[in-house]
Amino acid sequence: MQTEPQLKRPDLFRSAILIGGEWVKDSSAGEPIAVVDPATGRLLGTVPNAGRAETARAIEAADAAFPAWREKTAAERADHLRRLAQLITDNKEDLARILTAEQGKPLAEARGEVGMSAAYVQWFAEEGRRIYGDVIPSPWQNRRILITKDPVGVVGAITPWNFPSSMIARKLGAALAAGCTIVIKPASQTPYSALAWGVLCEEAGIPAGVVNILTGAARQIGAELTSNPLVKKITFTGSTEVGKQLAEQAARTMKKVSMELGGNAPFIVFDDADLDRAVEGAMVAKYRNAGQTCVCTNRFLVQEGIYDAFAERLARASAAMKVGNGFEEGVVQGPLIDERAVAKVEEHIADALAKGGRLLTGGRRHQGLGGNFFEPTVIADATPAMAVAREETFGPLAPLFRFRDEAEAVRLANDTEYGLACYFYTRDLGRAFRVSEALEYGLVGINEGLITTEVAPFGGVKESGVGREGSKYGIDDYLNIKYVCVGGL
Ligand SMILES: NC(=O)c1ccc[n+]([C@@H]2O[C@H](COP(=O)([O-])OP(=O)(O)OC[C@H]3O[C@@H](n4cnc5c(N)ncnc54)[C@H](O)[C@@H]3O)[C@@H](O)[C@H]2O)c1
Ligand SMILES: O=C[C@H](O)CS(=O)(=O)O
């Protein structure tokens, strides 16, 4: 039995894909895909299983829509994006309920994600009007040098299940503001948030073909997006493993790529830290979205002088968290996305305990709830030999590593192929600058555990990806720079 969420606007809950302004149920890749509520296991509905044929049609529709969309003025495109941002805000409750139903996060977090989504769209509505070029002093008397920035064209976007709305906002907002058109493939676990975006894009007056949304066979859709010569850019958010595959595929037709990939965030607590602030920051940096965010702390590095006090406080706060269905009042941690995610957390815990880790709280599937629910877990005496030191857990597991001095903390923090987010707590100003400058990461939180905002560049270094989303930098990846030399003057 289908149990779609209760909405004020049931029309936002779409089980069809959007190609060239048409809602269709074509499924050339096989049977429609079942979407289940990760909290209850109940069927929410099915969505089309699109393959290469539908993807090629969507790319052609985006290509056909590109000339007229790019010819609009930046102000005209901004009007559409502002209307979209307002529609997202006006429908926040329904969009949040769809998000919690398919992804599981607590409703309060889902509302926050939808709010962030509107903020990204609003931000790029404004940024699109500030795509400035240059006039460069010419080295020649009779020539002038002009620099313009042009939209790249058709964009292929592939997004993850953990932030099914805001990961679209960061891409769609920048792409459309730049004058590009887009084909989006959301994760099969969470398609409904993306399809609701399609409804609101239509209501915002965005012309048919500018935004196309496909659900279906990831490999087939990805293969078409990365190989079709009409697609000029690929923007991907997801695991490093898949990101590398897509970048390799896209290289064969030299497409621009933006890659927002995996992380292994260290959270460093120095002896001089404000302990209350450090614990408060640790809770949000670890347990947001049940630990399923790319910027979640994966390793706690705690200086030996404050180690026991921090460990005791973090374990106590973790044990006090209310775990349950995201629709339930007061719940602060929902289910993990699926059985595979639960198994990975269990593997990391078993490995840590087998290698000398000491369990302080949690450590197992939630005894009362079962299913995909997992107890917030803190393990002390973690060491670099453990899997959690190198692999992204992507769940509610907090391993505590001990260090002696600043140099060791920096060495441990940087000892990873990832470089997305990191956090550290100190009240020493000199240390704040020394450590921030030494850490090899794209995002640094000093005495803060939640730093994402649309006004700042989001992205990583090393194997956490390339490119930046949000901020004044986020639109650059959707533009080509053109040098015009005007001669014979
Ligand atoms: N850096 C960021 O901003 C950011 C944000 C969210 C998630 N992530 C990362 O994403 C991962 C978790 O998300 P996930 O499990 O959805 O990642 P994933 O890489 O498994 O999937 C991401 C998207 O890629 C699609 N996909 C998978 N294999 C594909 C293929 N061969 N060809 C084309 N598309 C393919 C999926 O269907 C999904 O839409 C974590 O590693 C997390 O750190 C990073
Ligand atoms: O999972 C990755 C998201 O980018 C997290 S955030 O909400 O943007 O910080």
Side-chain angles (χ1 to χ4, degrees):
M1 180 191 73
Q2 192 167 316
T3 55
E4 60 194 59
Q6 298 305 309
L7 305 174
K8 294 191 187 83
R9 284 195 51 186
D11 64 305
L12 288 174
F13 193 80
R14 282 290 159 98
S15 290
I17 54 179
L18 180 59
I19 300 177
E22 299 293 323
W23 290 94
V24 297
K25 297 204 171 195
D26 300 17
S27 287
S28 69
E31 287 302 305
I33 296 169
V35 184
V36 300
D37 177 340
T40 64
R42 289 201 199 104
L43 177 72
L44 292 173
T46 61
V47 294
N49 192 354
R52 294 197 73 146
E54 293 86 349
T55 307
R57 282 172 32 216
I59 292 167
E60 285 153 18
D63 186 56
F66 174 51
W69 182 249
R70 73 172 296 177
E71 289 310 313
K72 282 182 179 287
T73 64
E76 289 167 336
R77 291 194 294 267
D79 285 344
H80 287 291
L81 288 171
R82 272 195 293 276
R83 261 182 268 160
L84 176 59
Q86 190 57 53
L87 284 163
I88 292 167
T89 303
D90 294 345
N91 292 281
K92 181 190 279 191
E93 193 58 23
D94 275 355
L95 294 172
R97 295 184 70 81
I98 290 171
L99 206 162
T100 292
E102 63 179 357
Q103 198 273 341
K105 66 181 65 175
L107 205 47
E109 282 194 31
R111 292 182 184 118
E113 181 181 344
V114 174
M116 179 63 84
S117 300
Y120 274 115
V121 173
Q122 179 66 34
W123 172 266
F124 283 113
E126 295 152 7
E127 283 302 293
R129 300 189 66 186
R130 290 166 185 75
I131 299 175
Y132 299 140
D134 296 296
V135 175
I136 298 173
S138 172
W140 304 291
Q141 286 290 345
N142 64 344
R143 299 182 224 176
R144 298 295 178 266
I145 295 179
L146 312 180
I147 307 300
T148 62
K149 294 178 182 175
D150 304 328
V152 298
V154 175
V155 173
I158 300 176
T159 56
W161 50 261
N162 62 341
F163 285 85
S165 183
S166 59
M167 295 304 102
I168 289 178
R170 297 202 305 214
K171 302 173 187 317
L172 180 148
L176 268 58
C180 300
T181 55
I182 194 166
V183 178
I184 301 168
K185 189 209 83 70
S188 295
Q189 301 96 320
T190 55
Y192 288 113
S193 294
L195 296 170
W197 273 74
V199 177
L200 298 181
C201 284
E202 288 180 320
E203 290 182 16
I206 296 172
V210 172
V211 176
N212 304 273
I213 303 169
L214 299 169
T215 58
R219 286 183 183 281
Q220 289 189 41
I221 295 171
E224 186 62 29
L225 287 174
T226 54
S227 64
N228 190 310
L230 294 177
V231 175
K232 303 304 181 194
K233 175 186 173 62
I234 295 293
T235 174
F236 171 73
T237 297
S239 63
T240 293
E241 178 192 1
V242 174
K244 288 180 176 177
Q245 286 175 38
L246 294 172
E248 193 176 317
Q249 291 170 206
R252 293 171 202 149
T253 46
M254 282 315 293
K255 298 182 192 333
K256 286 171 94 86
V257 292
S258 297
M259 292 283 152
E260 297 288 346
L261 306 178
N264 180 359
F267 187 107
I268 307 169
V269 184
F270 288 99
D271 282 345
D272 70 315
D274 176 324
L275 184 57
D276 290 336
R277 279 191 71 88
V279 172
E280 181 188 354
M283 290 301 288
V284 70
K286 176 63 257 183
Y287 295 116
R288 186 159 65 102
N289 200 13
Q292 300 170 120
T293 90
C294 56
V295 292
C296 274
T297 296
N298 207 62
R299 298 166 288 154
F300 284 92
L301 311 179
V302 187
Q303 197 162 16
E304 51 196 7
I306 200 170
Y307 189 92
D308 293 341
F310 179 80
E312 191 278 329
R313 290 281 301 277
L314 183 66
R316 183 155 26 102
S318 300
M321 290 170 68
K322 183 175 181 183
V323 179
N325 188 310
F327 286 105
E328 188 183 332
E329 192 63 36
V331 163
V332 294
Q333 180 180 304
L336 301 192
I337 190 67
D338 56 23
E339 172 61 26
R340 187 161 67 103
V342 173
K344 183 168 187 185
V345 178
E346 288 180 320
E347 282 163 24
H348 279 185
I349 290 170
D351 173 81
L353 297 180
K355 293 174 181 172
R358 178 165 46 94
L359 183 66
L360 300 187
T361 188
R364 56 189 182 177
R365 296 174 190 235
H366 195 283
Q367 289 308 287
L369 299 167
N372 295 329
F373 294 96
F374 207 92
E375 295 177 353
T377 297
V378 180
I379 289 180
D381 304 337
T383 70
M386 297 173 182
V388 288
R390 312 213 64 79
E391 298 170 12
E392 185 179 39
T393 303
F394 230 54
L397 168 58
L400 308 183
F401 297 75
R402 200 185 296 263
F403 70 88
R404 287 178 301 278
D405 56 32
E406 191 176 297
E408 185 183 15
V410 170
R411 181 178 58 75
L412 287 171
N414 286 336
D415 182 20
T416 170
E417 66 270 28
Y418 293 103
L420 185 56
C422 62
Y423 313 89
F424 67 94
Y425 281 70
T426 180
R427 285 181 281 197
D428 179 321
L429 190 57
R431 169 174 286 158
F433 277 90
R434 284 195 307 274
V435 172
S436 172
E437 288 161 6
L439 289 171
E440 300 161 355
Y441 289 85
L443 312 172
V444 182
I446 302 176
N447 298 329
E448 289 295 344
L450 177 56
I451 60 177
T452 301
T453 166
E454 73 280 5
V455 309
F458 190 103
V461 297
K462 297 162 74 174
E463 297 200 13
S464 287
V466 291
R468 291 296 181 268
E469 295 192 308
S471 82
K472 68 173 185 175
Y473 303 99
I475 206 162
D476 293 346
D477 286 348
Y478 295 86
L479 298 166
N480 285 326
I481 293 174
K482 181 180 287 176
Y483 157 40
V484 179
C485 179
V486 183
L489 302 179

Short mmCIF file of all heavy atoms in Angstrom, two decimals, residues 116 120 162-163 166-167 170 237 288-289 292-295 394 420 450 452 458, ligand 2:
data_model
loop_
_atom_site.label_atom_id
_atom_site.label_comp_id
_atom_site.label_asym_id
_atom_site.label_seq_id
_atom_site.Cartn_x
_atom_site.Cartn_y
_atom_site.Cartn_z
N MET A 116 17.40 26.52 3.41
CA MET A 116 18.71 26.73 2.80
C MET A 116 18.60 26.67 1.27
O MET A 116 19.26 27.39 0.53
CB MET A 116 19.68 25.67 3.31
CG MET A 116 21.08 25.75 2.73
SD MET A 116 21.92 27.28 3.15
CE MET A 116 22.56 26.87 4.76
N TYR A 120 19.83 29.54 -1.35
CA TYR A 120 20.77 29.37 -2.48
C TYR A 120 20.15 29.93 -3.76
O TYR A 120 20.79 30.62 -4.56
CB TYR A 120 21.11 27.90 -2.68
CG TYR A 120 22.26 27.39 -1.84
CD1 TYR A 120 22.05 26.43 -0.85
CD2 TYR A 120 23.55 27.88 -2.01
CE1 TYR A 120 23.10 25.97 -0.07
CE2 TYR A 120 24.60 27.42 -1.24
CZ TYR A 120 24.37 26.46 -0.27
OH TYR A 120 25.42 26.01 0.51
N ASN A 162 21.37 12.42 0.67
CA ASN A 162 21.38 12.94 2.04
C ASN A 162 20.84 14.35 2.16
O ASN A 162 20.35 14.75 3.21
CB ASN A 162 22.77 12.80 2.66
CG ASN A 162 23.82 13.60 1.92
OD1 ASN A 162 23.64 13.98 0.78
ND2 ASN A 162 24.92 13.87 2.60
N PHE A 163 20.95 15.14 1.08
CA PHE A 163 20.35 16.49 1.05
C PHE A 163 19.63 16.62 -0.29
O PHE A 163 20.11 17.31 -1.20
CB PHE A 163 21.42 17.55 1.25
CG PHE A 163 21.89 17.63 2.68
CD1 PHE A 163 22.88 16.79 3.14
CD2 PHE A 163 21.30 18.51 3.57
CE1 PHE A 163 23.29 16.84 4.46
CE2 PHE A 163 21.70 18.55 4.91
CZ PHE A 163 22.70 17.72 5.35
N SER A 166 18.68 20.69 -1.02
CA SER A 166 19.69 21.76 -1.08
C SER A 166 20.81 21.45 -2.07
O SER A 166 21.42 22.37 -2.62
CB SER A 166 20.28 22.05 0.31
OG SER A 166 20.88 20.90 0.85
N MET A 167 21.07 20.16 -2.33
CA MET A 167 22.12 19.85 -3.31
C MET A 167 21.66 20.20 -4.73
O MET A 167 22.46 20.51 -5.59
CB MET A 167 22.52 18.37 -3.23
CG MET A 167 23.17 17.97 -1.92
SD MET A 167 24.63 18.93 -1.48
CE MET A 167 23.95 20.03 -0.28
N ARG A 170 21.93 24.28 -5.00
CA ARG A 170 23.28 24.81 -5.22
C ARG A 170 23.68 24.74 -6.69
O ARG A 170 24.48 25.51 -7.19
CB ARG A 170 24.31 24.05 -4.40
CG ARG A 170 24.11 24.17 -2.94
CD ARG A 170 25.29 23.92 -2.06
NE ARG A 170 26.02 22.69 -2.13
CZ ARG A 170 26.58 22.13 -1.06
NH1 ARG A 170 26.41 22.66 0.14
NH2 ARG A 170 27.29 21.04 -1.16
N THR A 237 27.46 15.66 -6.91
CA THR A 237 27.65 15.61 -5.45
C THR A 237 27.38 14.18 -5.01
O THR A 237 26.29 13.65 -5.29
CB THR A 237 26.71 16.56 -4.72
OG1 THR A 237 27.01 17.91 -5.10
CG2 THR A 237 26.89 16.42 -3.22
N ARG A 288 24.23 15.75 12.93
CA ARG A 288 23.27 16.32 11.96
C ARG A 288 22.97 15.26 10.90
O ARG A 288 23.88 14.59 10.39
CB ARG A 288 23.85 17.57 11.33
CG ARG A 288 22.92 18.33 10.44
CD ARG A 288 23.36 19.77 10.26
NE ARG A 288 24.62 19.90 9.58
CZ ARG A 288 24.75 20.24 8.29
NH1 ARG A 288 23.68 20.42 7.55
NH2 ARG A 288 25.95 20.38 7.75
N ASN A 289 21.69 15.09 10.57
CA ASN A 289 21.25 14.11 9.57
C ASN A 289 21.72 12.70 9.95
O ASN A 289 22.11 11.92 9.09
CB ASN A 289 21.77 14.50 8.18
CG ASN A 289 20.99 13.84 7.05
OD1 ASN A 289 19.92 13.27 7.27
ND2 ASN A 289 21.54 13.87 5.86
N GLN A 292 24.94 11.65 8.57
CA GLN A 292 25.00 11.40 7.13
C GLN A 292 25.17 12.68 6.34
O GLN A 292 24.37 13.02 5.46
CB GLN A 292 23.74 10.68 6.68
CG GLN A 292 23.53 9.33 7.36
CD GLN A 292 22.16 8.76 7.08
OE1 GLN A 292 22.02 7.67 6.51
NE2 GLN A 292 21.11 9.48 7.44
N THR A 293 26.19 13.46 6.69
CA THR A 293 26.51 14.62 5.86
C THR A 293 27.99 14.54 5.52
O THR A 293 28.80 13.98 6.26
CB THR A 293 26.25 15.99 6.55
OG1 THR A 293 27.44 16.42 7.24
CG2 THR A 293 25.09 15.93 7.51
N CYS A 294 28.35 15.13 4.40
CA CYS A 294 29.73 15.09 3.92
C CYS A 294 30.66 15.88 4.82
O CYS A 294 31.87 15.72 4.75
CB CYS A 294 29.78 15.67 2.52
SG CYS A 294 29.09 17.33 2.48
N VAL A 295 30.08 16.77 5.63
CA VAL A 295 30.91 17.60 6.52
C VAL A 295 30.80 17.15 7.97
O VAL A 295 31.30 17.82 8.87
CB VAL A 295 30.53 19.10 6.40
CG1 VAL A 295 30.90 19.65 5.02
CG2 VAL A 295 29.06 19.31 6.67
N PHE A 394 29.79 7.85 7.83
CA PHE A 394 28.47 8.33 7.36
C PHE A 394 27.35 7.79 8.25
O PHE A 394 26.33 7.27 7.80
CB PHE A 394 28.22 7.94 5.90
CG PHE A 394 27.75 9.11 5.06
CD1 PHE A 394 28.48 10.28 5.02
CD2 PHE A 394 26.59 9.05 4.34
CE1 PHE A 394 28.07 11.36 4.27
CE2 PHE A 394 26.15 10.13 3.58
CZ PHE A 394 26.89 11.29 3.55
N LEU A 420 37.66 18.01 2.91
CA LEU A 420 36.45 18.83 2.77
C LEU A 420 36.31 19.76 3.97
O LEU A 420 36.62 20.95 3.87
CB LEU A 420 35.22 17.94 2.60
CG LEU A 420 33.90 18.67 2.32
CD1 LEU A 420 33.99 19.57 1.11
CD2 LEU A 420 32.76 17.65 2.14
N LEU A 450 28.90 24.16 12.85
CA LEU A 450 27.99 24.22 11.70
C LEU A 450 28.28 25.52 10.98
O LEU A 450 28.00 26.60 11.50
CB LEU A 450 26.52 24.16 12.15
CG LEU A 450 25.46 24.27 11.06
CD1 LEU A 450 25.66 23.20 10.00
CD2 LEU A 450 24.07 24.18 11.66
N THR A 452 27.98 25.95 7.24
CA THR A 452 27.48 26.07 5.88
C THR A 452 26.56 27.27 5.73
O THR A 452 25.65 27.49 6.54
CB THR A 452 26.70 24.80 5.49
OG1 THR A 452 27.57 23.69 5.60
CG2 THR A 452 26.18 24.89 4.06
N PHE A 458 31.54 26.56 -0.82
CA PHE A 458 31.49 25.20 -0.25
C PHE A 458 32.20 24.26 -1.21
O PHE A 458 31.85 24.17 -2.39
CB PHE A 458 30.03 24.75 -0.09
CG PHE A 458 29.89 23.49 0.68
CD1 PHE A 458 29.47 23.51 1.99
CD2 PHE A 458 30.19 22.25 0.10
CE1 PHE A 458 29.35 22.34 2.72
CE2 PHE A 458 30.06 21.08 0.82
CZ PHE A 458 29.65 21.12 2.13
O1 LIG B 2 26.35 16.51 2.96
C1 LIG B 2 26.78 17.53 2.52
C2 LIG B 2 26.02 18.82 2.56
O2 LIG B 2 26.70 19.69 1.69
C3 LIG B 2 25.91 19.27 3.98
S1 LIG B 2 25.57 20.95 4.21
O3 LIG B 2 24.16 21.04 4.65
O4 LIG B 2 25.76 21.66 2.93
O5 LIG B 2 26.51 21.43 5.23
#
